[in-house]
Every structure is written in C-alpha cells, then in structure tokens.
Amino acid sequence: MKVELLLKAIEDGTTLKGLYGNDAAVIAEQKKRYAEVVAEFQKKYGHAEAEVFSSPGRTEIGGNHTDHNYGRVLAGAVNLDNVAVAYPNGTSTVRILSSGYPQFEVDLTNLKPSEKEYYTSVGLVRGIAARLEELGFKIGGFDAVINSGVPKGSGLSSSASFEVLIGAIFSHLFNAGRLDAVLNAQIGQYAENVFFGKPCGLMDQTACSVGGLITIDFADPTKPVVKKVDFDFIKTGYALVITDTGGNHADLNDEYASLPSDMKGVAAQLGKKVLREVEPQQLLDAIPSLRGKVTDRAILRAIHFEGDNARVANQVAALEKNDFNSFLQMVKDSGRSSFMYNQNVYPSSAPQEQGVSLALALSDIALGTEGAYRVHGGGFAGTIQAFVPQNLLDKYVATLEHTFGKGKCWKLFIRPQGSIKVEF
C-alpha cells in the first residue's frame, strides 16, 4: 500500500477500532502510534510502499503449567500488541529496527542455529525463516520497524507475540498470507526451542497467533486441538486486570525448569511420559509408593496438574452456558491450587521475595467475595490476573498501584484478532 494512502487510512481510524475498541482517547493514541511507526519506517528505509502488521499479547486464563505435560489450557489474545510496518527489500537479508533498540540484521542464506544467538531476536528470526523454508514456504529479505506495546516481563508473552508477528510478515509478504495460524504458532515454538535455546510449550504462541478466547488441548502436541470459545467478556461488566508486581525473572530459570521436571518425574514413576497420560485416581492410589522416589513437592505439583487440567474443560463449559459466576469460582480455585500445590507464587530460592503473594493478598482485601484473582503465567515473580467488577475497578487499581506503583495495573480486553496483516 502506498505510504501516503496508508497514513490517510490510519488517520481515519475505523480499522483501528476493531483492534483497540471504541474509546476515543485510546484510538487517538493508536493513530499517533501507527503514524509514528510508519514515519520511522519511511525515514529509515525509504520505501514508497508498506504493509502493517499487529500481533497481540496473551493472557492465560485457565490451565497454569499444564501445557508442558500435554494438558488443556484456556487463553485469550489481549489488546496490548506489537505493531510492525514492513516491506520486501529485494535481498536475502532481514533488517529490523525495534523502537528504542539498535537495528539488527539476519542473513537468510545461513539458516543454521548457533548458540551465540541464543536468547536473541536474531536467533528467533533465523529460526522462523529456517522452519518456513523447511516446510516449503517462500522466504525473503524485508525491512521492518516494530513498536512493542507488550511489556517485557509482563506475563503477556512479548516473545511469543514477536515470533508470530515475524511469521505473519513472512506469510503475507512472500506467501499470499497462506500460513495457518496454528502452524505459525508451531513455527514460533520451534524457533524458540531450537534457535533461541529456551524450552517452552505451545500455549503462548497459539493464543497470540489465533486470537480471541481459545481453549487448546495438547494431548497430541504435534496436532493441538484449538477451539474458539464463544463468550463476550465485555458484556459481563467485569474488567480483566493484569498487575505487574515488579519481580525479576532473570534468575528463575531453575525454578521454571523444576515444574515440568517434577511433573514428568511423577509420570515416569507411573510408566508414562507426561501427566496427561495418568488418570487422577491412578495418581492418588500411587502416592504412598511415590513418596521417597520423588519429592513431596513433585507429588503436589502432579495433583495441581490433574486438578487444573480438568478445571479448564469445566471453565469452558461454564462460559459456553453463560455461567460466569461458576467460571469465576474456578479462577479462584485455580489460583489456590497454584499457590498450595504447584508452588509457583514465590521462588523457593528466595522466599523473602513475595511480590506476587502480596498482590494476591491485596486483591483479596480489595475484592472480598467479588470477582476472582490468581497468579498469571509462569509465576514466581511478575504478574497476577484479576477479574474485577466495574463498581470495584477504581478501588482495586488504587489498592494495587498504591503498593506497586502508578501504571502497574493494565485494564485489558480479549481481542478477537490474532497475529494479522492490518487491512486498511
């Protein structure tokens, strides 16, 4: 699309309402944001044409640490997103400028993983390109400017959003948009595992790529079953609030790794690969014989898995029946299970650091018997999630931000679009 026409379409704002809602102040802010990214793109690369892409963050709503043991999850795309302006450059080099960071380049003639590129955006882009080419898709060089509205460390999966954004760019610039959303997610996971050096499940990428409210069953992780859940959270009168407690994830790799390790250790003792293959009653019957072979913590985490895995199916059923009160109770139950059994609310290596626990306590005080709250995402540090009735929203935000700082509460909604080319 010609840049001058693109800028006129952005100023019109109609398309943006489908991504960010009808709040006039929010739309004005997004118009300014999009126009600035287009201007930066044109200034940096000089293209007369450009395409615009958006990829949302995600919130995990049900199934805390169930995906890596082939369980079920409930997740939604949110209105905080990564926005990219991109266009082919006729070379075999990808050039990306992320606002606030130096430009990086990826030579697509070399598509081999390197440990030197672990934990870098270069590794992710190279891995996505490598997997696309391996699967028969076309790849090519492009120029892009990316503006991130998904805060790092927010528990909203900024890395997964980035991965499927890159997949969408390759798809639309070189493959007529024919990359399926679930396959885009699987390619992002592959890049993160093999080229980025981080083991991860598939929930984050799938939620960001598919969009809306979805439930995913990972019983066969090579063919996850993704189902859209037809439910409009906005009509409930509740706000979805994510609070950043300010915890640092930097030294928590061992804590995160212990979760799938503990769960799979229990499964192995029962002759299985993952806990999804273990029946709940089988686990309960085996507890006496398991003790001494695995830790009590591992058994508790296995109990959490069985409970939260079943709870996801019940949450979906409640939403489909429009039984929001039952859904909220199950959110609370999931949070209690994460705290008591999964034990991922604060790090065992630093029990004095309990920002997430404190946020949950303050949520309990502010909400009383109303709404629901739970640890969000991986846990140990970072964010919590709450469903807050509108009449308590100001009180809730004031209570949490009094402790964690102004701007630490994000009031979100579930957006229907996943990682897309924005059609103006």
Side-chain angles (χ1 to χ4, degrees), residues 129-139 174-175 178 183:
R131 188 63 173 154
L132 281 167
E133 186 174 71
E134 185 179 337
L135 293 173
F137 290 92
K138 295 178 182 178
I139 60 172
F174 304 106
N175 296 278
R178 66 184 181 89
L183 182 56

Side-chain angles (χ1 to χ4, degrees), residues 1 42 53 74 95 108 119 136 171 235 277 373 412 424:
M1 189 175 187
Q42 196 172 31
F53 301 84
L74 177 63
R95 301 186 296 182
L108 300 181
Y119 305 108
S171 177
K235 291 181 179 178
E277 299 169 352
Y373 50 89
L412 308 178
F424 287 99

Side-chain angles (χ1 to χ4, degrees), residues 15 70 97 155 183 274 298 383 403:
T15 299
Y70 300 1
L97 176 65
L183 182 56
V274 290
T383 59
T403 295

Side-chain angles (χ1 to χ4, degrees), residues 47-288:
H47 293 288
E49 296 187 58
E51 302 293 349
V52 179
F53 301 84
S54 167
S55 182
R58 73 95 184 99
T59 181
E60 169 209 284
I61 296 171
N64 189 236
H65 282 285
T66 51
D67 59 332
H68 48 61
N69 267 253
Y70 300 1
R72 305 180 186 94
V73 298
L74 177 63
V78 299
N79 51 303
L80 295 182
D81 65 342
N82 285 307
V83 168
V85 177
Y87 205 71
N89 59 26
T91 75
S92 59
T93 300
V94 171
R95 301 186 296 182
I96 295 177
L97 176 65
S98 288
S99 299
Y101 295 92
Q103 176 185 280
F104 68 87
E105 298 186 359
V106 182
D107 178 6
L108 300 181
T109 62
N110 171 20
L111 296 177
K112 295 181 180 180
S114 168
E115 289 188 13
K116 294 180 180 179
E117 294 179 353
Y118 279 5
Y119 305 108
T120 68
S121 297
V122 171
L124 288 176
V125 174
R126 196 182 308 280
I128 291 164
R131 188 63 173 154
L132 281 167
E133 186 174 71
E134 185 179 337
L135 293 173
F137 290 92
K138 295 178 182 178
I139 60 172
F142 62 83
D143 298 326
V145 171
I146 298 176
N147 177 274
S148 178
V150 185
K152 288 188 176 181
S154 65
L156 297 170
S157 294
S158 57
S159 59
S161 177
F162 174 82
E163 290 158 20
V164 298
L165 177 70
I166 298 300
I169 292 172
F170 276 120
S171 177
H172 287 279
L173 294 187
F174 304 106
N175 296 278
R178 66 184 181 89
L179 179 61
D180 171 80
V182 175
L183 182 56
N184 187 13
Q186 291 172 322
I187 289 169
Q189 181 199 26
Y190 170 86
E192 188 161 338
N193 290 348
V194 179
F195 283 73
F196 191 76
K198 179 182 176 183
C200 67
L202 188 58
M203 177 186 71
D204 296 347
Q205 291 86 351
T206 306
C208 294
S209 184
V210 174
L213 183 65
I214 60 171
T215 183
I216 315 168
D217 191 330
F218 292 108
D220 180 352
T222 65
K223 298 177 181 178
V225 177
V226 180
K227 176 187 174 185
K228 287 263 190 177
V229 181
D230 185 16
F231 185 83
D232 188 348
F233 273 105
I234 295 175
K235 291 181 179 178
T236 66
Y238 281 72
L240 171 60
V241 181
I242 303 294
T243 301
D244 179 9
T245 69
N248 188 353
H249 292 82
D251 298 320
L252 296 176
N253 286 340
D254 289 344
E255 297 278 7
Y256 290 123
S258 73
L259 284 154
S261 176
D262 276 353
M263 291 183 185
K264 290 176 180 178
V266 172
Q269 289 296 324
L270 299 174
K272 305 295 183 181
K273 181 180 178 181
V274 290
L275 284 175
R276 183 60 185 274
E277 299 169 352
V278 176
E279 293 296 326
Q281 191 59 50
Q282 181 186 5
L283 171 63
L284 293 177
D285 291 343
I287 288 176

